[in-house]
Amino acid sequence: MSTPPEDDVPLTRAARRAAERAAGAESVEPIPSVSPAPSESAPERGAESATVPAESADPGAVTRAAAPTNSADAAPTRALPVVEPSGMDALFNPPTDETPEVAPVTPRKTAPVAKRRPRTSVVGVLGELLITAGVLVMLYLVWQLWFNDMVERNQQNAAAVDLSQQWDADAAKNPPVFPESGEPPAIAQPEDGVEFAILQIPRFGADYGAPLAGGVSKAKTLDKAGIGHYPDTQLPGQPGNFALAGHRNTHGAPLNLVADLQLGDAIVVATPEGWYTYRYRNSEYVTPSAVEVLNPIPQSDSAEISDSVITLTSCNPKMSTAERIISYGVFESFTPRGDTPPASLASPQEG
Protein backbone atom coordinates (compact mmCIF):
# COMPACT_ATOMS: atom_id res chain seq x y z
CA MET A 1 0.00 0.00 0.00
CA SER A 2 1.60 3.30 -1.13
CA THR A 3 1.81 6.29 1.11
CA PRO A 4 0.60 9.56 -0.39
CA PRO A 5 3.13 12.40 -0.64
CA GLU A 6 3.40 14.58 2.35
CA ASP A 7 2.26 17.62 0.35
CA ASP A 8 -1.03 15.93 -0.36
CA VAL A 9 -1.75 15.01 3.28
CA PRO A 10 -3.82 17.73 4.95
CA LEU A 11 -2.42 19.01 8.20
CA THR A 12 -4.34 18.81 11.29
CA ARG A 13 -5.09 21.82 13.41
CA ALA A 14 -2.47 20.84 15.98
CA ALA A 15 0.16 20.31 13.32
CA ARG A 16 -0.50 23.66 11.79
CA ARG A 17 -0.19 25.33 15.13
CA ALA A 18 3.16 23.68 15.71
CA ALA A 19 4.42 24.69 12.29
CA GLU A 20 3.33 28.28 12.80
CA ARG A 21 5.06 28.48 16.14
CA ALA A 22 8.23 27.18 14.62
CA ALA A 23 8.28 29.45 11.58
CA GLY A 24 7.24 32.58 13.44
CA ALA A 25 3.62 33.06 12.73
CA GLU A 26 2.84 35.23 9.77
CA SER A 27 0.13 37.75 9.56
CA VAL A 28 -2.94 36.70 7.79
CA GLU A 29 -4.19 39.32 5.48
CA PRO A 30 -7.79 40.11 5.85
CA ILE A 31 -10.15 39.05 3.18
CA PRO A 32 -11.80 42.08 1.75
CA SER A 33 -15.55 42.01 1.97
CA VAL A 34 -17.48 42.68 -1.13
CA SER A 35 -20.24 45.21 -0.73
CA PRO A 36 -23.34 44.65 -2.75
CA ALA A 37 -23.72 46.90 -5.74
CA PRO A 38 -26.06 49.75 -5.19
CA SER A 39 -29.40 49.38 -6.87
CA GLU A 40 -31.48 52.08 -8.42
CA SER A 41 -34.52 51.30 -6.35
CA ALA A 42 -32.72 51.29 -3.01
CA PRO A 43 -31.35 54.43 -1.38
CA GLU A 44 -27.52 54.84 -1.15
CA ARG A 45 -26.11 53.59 2.02
CA GLY A 46 -22.63 54.43 3.40
CA ALA A 47 -21.94 50.88 4.22
CA GLU A 48 -18.60 50.01 5.51
CA SER A 49 -16.80 46.82 4.90
CA ALA A 50 -16.22 44.76 7.92
CA THR A 51 -12.66 43.64 8.34
CA VAL A 52 -11.22 40.65 10.00
CA PRO A 53 -8.79 41.46 12.81
CA ALA A 54 -5.18 40.97 12.03
CA GLU A 55 -4.74 38.32 14.53
CA SER A 56 -7.38 35.71 15.25
CA ALA A 57 -7.80 33.74 18.38
CA ASP A 58 -7.37 30.71 16.22
CA PRO A 59 -4.60 31.32 13.64
CA GLY A 60 -5.50 28.24 11.66
CA ALA A 61 -9.24 29.11 11.37
CA VAL A 62 -10.64 30.38 8.15
CA THR A 63 -11.94 33.89 8.54
CA ARG A 64 -15.32 34.82 7.15
CA ALA A 65 -16.92 38.10 6.46
CA ALA A 66 -18.76 39.38 9.43
CA ALA A 67 -22.48 39.88 9.17
CA PRO A 68 -23.50 43.47 8.82
CA THR A 69 -24.35 45.01 12.12
CA ASN A 70 -26.33 47.92 10.80
CA SER A 71 -29.99 47.16 10.03
CA ALA A 72 -29.81 49.66 7.19
CA ASP A 73 -27.18 47.52 5.46
CA ALA A 74 -29.39 44.42 5.52
CA ALA A 75 -31.67 43.60 2.61
CA PRO A 76 -35.19 44.91 3.11
CA THR A 77 -37.85 42.32 4.01
CA ARG A 78 -41.59 42.48 3.38
CA ALA A 79 -43.70 42.22 6.51
CA LEU A 80 -46.98 40.23 6.29
CA PRO A 81 -50.04 42.23 7.16
CA VAL A 82 -51.51 41.54 10.57
CA VAL A 83 -55.08 40.35 10.24
CA GLU A 84 -57.17 41.06 13.27
CA PRO A 85 -59.73 38.30 14.03
CA SER A 86 -63.34 39.18 13.36
CA GLY A 87 -65.97 39.11 16.10
CA MET A 88 -67.17 35.56 15.30
CA ASP A 89 -63.58 34.28 14.85
CA ALA A 90 -62.52 35.81 18.11
CA LEU A 91 -65.57 34.19 19.75
CA PHE A 92 -65.10 30.65 18.41
CA ASN A 93 -61.32 30.67 17.70
CA PRO A 94 -59.66 32.81 20.35
CA PRO A 95 -56.08 33.81 19.42
CA THR A 96 -54.24 31.55 21.77
CA ASP A 97 -51.21 29.43 21.11
CA GLU A 98 -52.57 26.45 22.91
CA THR A 99 -56.08 25.12 23.22
CA PRO A 100 -57.05 25.12 26.88
CA GLU A 101 -57.58 21.74 28.30
CA VAL A 102 -61.12 21.08 29.44
CA ALA A 103 -61.30 19.11 32.61
CA PRO A 104 -63.64 16.08 32.39
CA VAL A 105 -66.99 16.58 34.07
CA THR A 106 -67.44 14.19 36.92
CA PRO A 107 -71.13 13.29 37.52
CA ARG A 108 -72.33 14.33 40.90
CA LYS A 109 -73.48 11.61 43.15
CA THR A 110 -76.91 12.42 44.42
CA ALA A 111 -78.31 10.87 47.52
CA PRO A 112 -81.18 8.43 46.90
CA VAL A 113 -84.58 10.00 47.36
CA ALA A 114 -86.53 8.26 50.05
CA LYS A 115 -89.96 7.09 48.90
CA ARG A 116 -92.78 8.64 50.80
CA ARG A 117 -95.21 6.23 52.28
CA PRO A 118 -98.80 7.13 51.40
CA ARG A 119 -100.72 8.56 54.26
CA THR A 120 -103.60 6.51 55.53
CA SER A 121 -106.56 8.61 56.48
CA VAL A 122 -109.61 7.64 58.45
CA VAL A 123 -111.87 8.60 55.55
CA GLY A 124 -109.88 6.38 53.16
CA VAL A 125 -110.04 3.38 55.48
CA LEU A 126 -113.75 3.92 56.05
CA GLY A 127 -114.34 4.16 52.29
CA GLU A 128 -112.48 0.90 51.65
CA LEU A 129 -114.47 -0.83 54.37
CA LEU A 130 -117.75 0.41 52.91
CA ILE A 131 -116.77 -0.74 49.41
CA THR A 132 -115.80 -4.16 50.76
CA ALA A 133 -119.06 -4.41 52.68
CA GLY A 134 -121.02 -3.44 49.57
CA VAL A 135 -119.31 -6.12 47.51
CA LEU A 136 -120.02 -8.73 50.20
CA VAL A 137 -123.69 -7.71 50.36
CA MET A 138 -124.01 -7.99 46.58
CA LEU A 139 -122.40 -11.42 46.62
CA TYR A 140 -124.74 -12.51 49.40
CA LEU A 141 -127.79 -11.28 47.46
CA VAL A 142 -126.65 -13.11 44.34
CA TRP A 143 -126.21 -16.26 46.41
CA GLN A 144 -129.45 -15.93 48.35
CA LEU A 145 -131.77 -14.71 45.60
CA TRP A 146 -130.48 -16.62 42.64
CA PHE A 147 -128.10 -19.50 43.19
CA ASN A 148 -129.41 -20.59 46.57
CA ASP A 149 -133.03 -20.34 45.35
CA MET A 150 -132.20 -22.56 42.41
CA VAL A 151 -130.56 -25.13 44.66
CA GLU A 152 -133.44 -25.17 47.16
CA ARG A 153 -136.04 -25.25 44.38
CA ASN A 154 -134.45 -28.42 43.01
CA GLN A 155 -134.30 -29.89 46.51
CA GLN A 156 -138.00 -29.22 47.07
CA ASN A 157 -138.90 -30.78 43.73
CA ALA A 158 -136.87 -33.87 44.62
CA ALA A 159 -138.48 -34.07 48.07
CA ALA A 160 -141.95 -33.92 46.47
CA VAL A 161 -141.09 -36.79 44.13
CA ASP A 162 -139.80 -38.87 47.05
CA LEU A 163 -142.99 -38.26 49.06
CA SER A 164 -145.22 -39.15 46.12
CA GLN A 165 -143.33 -42.40 45.48
CA GLN A 166 -143.54 -43.32 49.15
CA TRP A 167 -147.30 -42.72 49.20
CA ASP A 168 -147.73 -44.79 46.06
CA ALA A 169 -145.86 -47.65 47.69
CA ASP A 170 -147.92 -47.39 50.87
CA ALA A 171 -151.21 -47.30 48.91
CA ALA A 172 -150.17 -50.41 47.00
CA LYS A 173 -149.68 -52.29 50.26
CA ASN A 174 -152.66 -50.85 52.13
CA PRO A 175 -155.31 -49.45 49.77
CA PRO A 176 -157.13 -46.47 51.38
CA VAL A 177 -160.85 -46.72 52.26
CA PHE A 178 -163.05 -43.87 51.00
CA PRO A 179 -166.55 -42.78 52.17
CA GLU A 180 -169.46 -44.40 50.33
CA SER A 181 -170.93 -40.98 49.71
CA GLY A 182 -168.09 -40.26 47.29
CA GLU A 183 -167.02 -37.17 49.15
CA PRO A 184 -163.30 -36.53 49.56
CA PRO A 185 -161.78 -38.13 52.67
CA ALA A 186 -161.23 -35.90 55.67
CA ILE A 187 -157.67 -35.08 56.63
CA ALA A 188 -156.51 -34.52 60.19
CA GLN A 189 -155.09 -31.13 61.11
CA PRO A 190 -151.28 -31.38 60.69
CA GLU A 191 -148.92 -30.27 63.40
CA ASP A 192 -146.62 -27.29 62.95
CA GLY A 193 -143.77 -28.13 60.57
CA VAL A 194 -145.03 -31.62 59.73
CA GLU A 195 -145.33 -32.34 55.99
CA PHE A 196 -148.71 -33.78 54.99
CA ALA A 197 -149.21 -32.84 51.30
CA ILE A 198 -147.57 -31.68 48.07
CA LEU A 199 -148.58 -28.60 46.06
CA GLN A 200 -148.34 -29.17 42.31
CA ILE A 201 -149.01 -26.41 39.76
CA PRO A 202 -148.35 -27.40 36.12
CA ARG A 203 -148.15 -23.69 35.12
CA PHE A 204 -144.96 -23.47 37.19
CA GLY A 205 -143.35 -26.42 35.38
CA ALA A 206 -143.93 -30.09 34.70
CA ASP A 207 -141.57 -31.11 37.50
CA TYR A 208 -142.76 -28.47 39.97
CA GLY A 209 -143.57 -29.75 43.45
CA ALA A 210 -143.47 -28.06 46.87
CA PRO A 211 -143.86 -29.97 50.13
CA LEU A 212 -146.73 -28.63 52.24
CA ALA A 213 -146.45 -28.58 56.05
CA GLY A 214 -148.60 -27.47 58.97
CA GLY A 215 -148.26 -23.92 60.26
CA VAL A 216 -146.90 -20.74 58.66
CA SER A 217 -143.89 -19.98 60.88
CA LYS A 218 -140.73 -19.10 58.99
CA ALA A 219 -138.36 -21.13 61.12
CA LYS A 220 -140.30 -24.44 61.14
CA THR A 221 -142.30 -24.36 57.92
CA LEU A 222 -141.81 -21.65 55.31
CA ASP A 223 -137.99 -21.62 55.35
CA LYS A 224 -137.73 -25.42 55.43
CA ALA A 225 -140.68 -27.12 53.78
CA GLY A 226 -141.69 -24.39 51.33
CA ILE A 227 -145.50 -24.06 51.70
CA GLY A 228 -147.38 -23.68 54.99
CA HIS A 229 -151.04 -24.14 55.94
CA TYR A 230 -152.85 -21.58 58.10
CA PRO A 231 -153.98 -23.66 61.14
CA ASP A 232 -157.36 -21.92 61.55
CA THR A 233 -158.50 -22.61 58.01
CA GLN A 234 -160.08 -25.70 56.39
CA LEU A 235 -158.27 -28.69 54.86
CA PRO A 236 -158.30 -29.93 51.23
CA GLY A 237 -161.73 -30.90 49.91
CA GLN A 238 -163.66 -29.55 52.91
CA PRO A 239 -166.22 -26.78 52.53
CA GLY A 240 -164.55 -23.52 53.34
CA ASN A 241 -161.17 -21.92 52.73
CA PHE A 242 -158.00 -24.00 52.42
CA ALA A 243 -155.47 -21.16 52.90
CA LEU A 244 -151.74 -21.53 52.20
CA ALA A 245 -148.68 -19.26 52.44
CA GLY A 246 -145.31 -19.40 50.70
CA HIS A 247 -142.22 -17.34 49.79
CA ARG A 248 -142.08 -15.48 46.51
CA ASN A 249 -138.33 -15.14 46.82
CA THR A 250 -135.62 -16.91 48.86
CA HIS A 251 -135.80 -20.42 50.28
CA GLY A 252 -136.75 -21.97 46.97
CA ALA A 253 -139.37 -19.29 46.19
CA PRO A 254 -142.21 -21.83 45.73
CA LEU A 255 -144.76 -19.09 44.84
CA ASN A 256 -142.43 -17.00 42.71
CA LEU A 257 -144.67 -17.35 39.62
CA VAL A 258 -148.00 -16.97 41.36
CA ALA A 259 -148.76 -13.80 39.38
CA ASP A 260 -148.48 -15.81 36.14
CA LEU A 261 -151.53 -17.96 36.87
CA GLN A 262 -154.27 -17.83 34.25
CA LEU A 263 -158.00 -18.49 34.51
CA GLY A 264 -158.71 -22.23 34.70
CA ASP A 265 -155.12 -23.28 35.59
CA ALA A 266 -154.94 -26.44 37.69
CA ILE A 267 -153.83 -26.22 41.31
CA VAL A 268 -153.39 -29.77 42.64
CA VAL A 269 -152.88 -30.82 46.26
CA ALA A 270 -151.51 -34.37 46.55
CA THR A 271 -151.95 -36.32 49.80
CA PRO A 272 -151.46 -39.97 50.78
CA GLU A 273 -155.18 -40.45 50.06
CA GLY A 274 -155.15 -38.96 46.55
CA TRP A 275 -155.18 -35.71 44.46
CA TYR A 276 -157.40 -32.68 45.10
CA THR A 277 -157.78 -30.56 41.99
CA TYR A 278 -158.67 -26.84 42.13
CA ARG A 279 -159.04 -24.39 39.25
CA TYR A 280 -157.63 -20.87 39.44
CA ARG A 281 -160.30 -18.14 39.49
CA ASN A 282 -158.75 -14.73 40.22
CA SER A 283 -156.19 -12.69 42.24
CA GLU A 284 -156.23 -9.51 44.29
CA TYR A 285 -153.76 -7.32 46.16
CA VAL A 286 -154.32 -6.39 49.80
CA THR A 287 -152.47 -4.93 52.74
CA PRO A 288 -150.63 -7.26 55.14
CA SER A 289 -153.33 -6.64 57.77
CA ALA A 290 -156.20 -7.84 55.54
CA VAL A 291 -156.85 -11.09 57.44
CA GLU A 292 -160.38 -11.38 56.02
CA VAL A 293 -158.93 -13.21 53.03
CA LEU A 294 -158.58 -16.19 55.38
CA ASN A 295 -162.29 -16.36 56.24
CA PRO A 296 -164.22 -19.52 55.19
CA ILE A 297 -165.64 -17.36 52.46
CA PRO A 298 -162.80 -14.96 51.61
CA GLN A 299 -163.61 -11.28 52.12
CA SER A 300 -167.01 -12.22 53.64
CA ASP A 301 -168.40 -12.73 57.12
CA SER A 302 -171.26 -14.98 55.95
CA ALA A 303 -171.84 -18.20 57.87
CA GLU A 304 -173.25 -20.03 54.90
CA ILE A 305 -170.41 -22.10 53.52
CA SER A 306 -171.08 -24.06 50.39
CA ASP A 307 -167.95 -23.98 48.24
CA SER A 308 -164.50 -25.34 48.88
CA VAL A 309 -161.81 -22.90 47.82
CA ILE A 310 -158.03 -22.68 47.98
CA THR A 311 -156.22 -19.42 48.78
CA LEU A 312 -152.53 -18.79 48.02
CA THR A 313 -150.92 -15.84 49.84
CA SER A 314 -147.48 -14.33 49.22
CA CYS A 315 -145.62 -11.01 49.37
CA ASN A 316 -145.92 -8.37 46.67
CA PRO A 317 -144.01 -7.02 44.90
CA LYS A 318 -141.05 -9.33 44.75
CA MET A 319 -138.36 -8.49 47.28
CA SER A 320 -140.85 -6.49 49.30
CA THR A 321 -143.45 -6.96 52.04
CA ALA A 322 -145.43 -3.81 51.25
CA GLU A 323 -148.55 -5.76 50.34
CA ARG A 324 -149.88 -9.27 49.66
CA ILE A 325 -150.93 -11.00 46.47
CA ILE A 326 -153.94 -13.30 47.02
CA SER A 327 -154.81 -15.98 44.44
CA TYR A 328 -158.04 -18.04 44.61
CA GLY A 329 -159.09 -21.39 43.22
CA VAL A 330 -162.31 -23.41 43.34
CA PHE A 331 -162.41 -27.12 44.13
CA GLU A 332 -163.14 -29.32 41.10
CA SER A 333 -162.52 -33.04 41.83
CA PHE A 334 -160.75 -35.66 43.89
CA THR A 335 -158.79 -38.62 42.46
CA PRO A 336 -158.02 -41.53 44.86
CA ARG A 337 -154.43 -42.71 45.08
CA GLY A 338 -154.08 -46.04 43.33
CA ASP A 339 -155.99 -44.82 40.31
CA THR A 340 -154.44 -43.07 37.35
CA PRO A 341 -153.19 -39.58 38.36
CA PRO A 342 -155.57 -36.81 37.27
CA ALA A 343 -155.19 -35.37 33.79
CA SER A 344 -154.88 -31.93 35.34
CA LEU A 345 -151.24 -32.72 36.19
CA ALA A 346 -150.36 -33.18 32.52
CA SER A 347 -151.41 -29.70 31.34
CA PRO A 348 -152.39 -26.54 33.26
CA GLN A 349 -155.86 -26.13 31.72
CA GLU A 350 -156.97 -29.68 30.85
CA GLY A 351 -159.59 -31.25 33.07
Side-chain angles (χ1 to χ4, degrees):
M1 182 175 183
S2 60
T3 304
E6 295 180 1
D7 297 337
D8 299 331
V9 177
L11 295 177
T12 62
R13 183 179 297 180
R16 286 199 306 271
R17 290 177 179 177
E20 291 176 355
R21 290 191 190 98
E26 297 180 357
S27 302
V28 180
E29 296 181 0
I31 301 175
S33 60
V34 181
S35 301
S39 61
E40 296 179 357
S41 61
E44 293 183 359
R45 296 186 300 269
E48 297 179 356
S49 301
T51 59
V52 179
E55 293 182 2
S56 175
D58 190 354
V62 179
T63 60
R64 297 180 180 178
T69 59
N70 191 353
S71 62
D73 297 337
T77 59
R78 296 178 62 186
L80 297 176
V82 178
V83 180
E84 294 293 335
S86 63
M88 295 301 295
D89 293 338
L91 179 61
F92 293 100
N93 300 311
T96 56
D97 295 338
E98 296 181 358
T99 303
E101 296 182 358
V102 179
V105 179
T106 304
R108 295 176 60 186
K109 294 182 178 180
T110 58
V113 179
K115 294 183 178 180
R116 294 183 177 180
R117 298 180 61 184
R119 293 184 176 181
T120 303
S121 63
V122 177
V123 176
V125 173
L126 182 60
E128 292 181 0
L129 291 176
L130 291 176
I131 292 173
T132 303
V135 172
L136 293 177
V137 169
M138 290 182 63
L139 292 176
Y140 173 77
L141 290 176
V142 170
W143 163 263
Q144 187 71 19
L145 301 179
W146 182 72
F147 187 77
N148 189 54
D149 270 359
M150 182 178 62
V151 172
E152 292 197 24
R153 177 73 263 139
N154 292 333
Q155 292 177 349
Q156 291 177 8
N157 291 341
V161 172
D162 292 342
L163 276 177
S164 183
Q165 291 177 351
Q166 180 181 349
W167 293 337
D168 287 339
D170 293 342
K173 295 180 180 178
N174 300 310
V177 177
F178 299 104
E180 296 180 358
S181 62
E183 296 180 357
I187 299 176
Q189 186 73 33
E191 296 181 3
D192 193 17
V194 176
E195 296 179 358
F196 70 98
I198 300 172
L199 181 65
Q200 295 175 292
I201 304 176
R203 175 67 66 183
F204 296 173
D207 59 345
Y208 173 84
L212 202 163
V216 291
S217 65
K218 288 175 58 64
K220 292 184 178 181
T221 304
L222 300 182
D223 292 350
K224 290 184 178 181
I227 302 292
H229 170 246
Y230 286 95
D232 296 334
T233 64
Q234 283 67 44
L235 291 167
Q238 295 180 355
N241 187 5
F242 176 48
L244 306 177
H247 288 301
R248 204 173 176 188
N249 56 270
T250 70
H251 303 285
L255 295 182
N256 182 38
L257 301 177
V258 69
D260 296 339
L261 289 172
Q262 299 179 13
L263 183 63
D265 281 351
I267 303 174
V268 181
V269 178
T271 66
E273 292 77 15
W275 294 269
Y276 299 81
T277 299
Y278 293 82
R279 292 292 174 177
Y280 171 74
R281 185 176 62 186
N282 68 309
S283 296
E284 63 178 345
Y285 299 91
V286 299
T287 62
S289 59
V291 294
E292 57 272 12
V293 298
L294 304 180
N295 292 342
I297 299 177
Q299 299 286 16
S300 174
D301 294 332
S302 175
E304 297 180 1
I305 301 174
S306 58
D307 294 332
S308 176
V309 298
I310 186 171
T311 301
L312 305 178
T313 66
S314 187
C315 296
N316 187 77
K318 293 181 180 180
M319 307 291 299
S320 174
T321 59
E323 55 185 19
R324 300 289 185 266
I325 179 174
I326 312 298
S327 300
Y328 302 105
V330 179
F331 179 72
E332 179 185 71
S333 63
F334 170 76
T335 303
R337 187 167 294 276
D339 294 345
T340 302
S344 58
L345 292 177
S347 178
Q349 295 185 346
E350 288 185 4

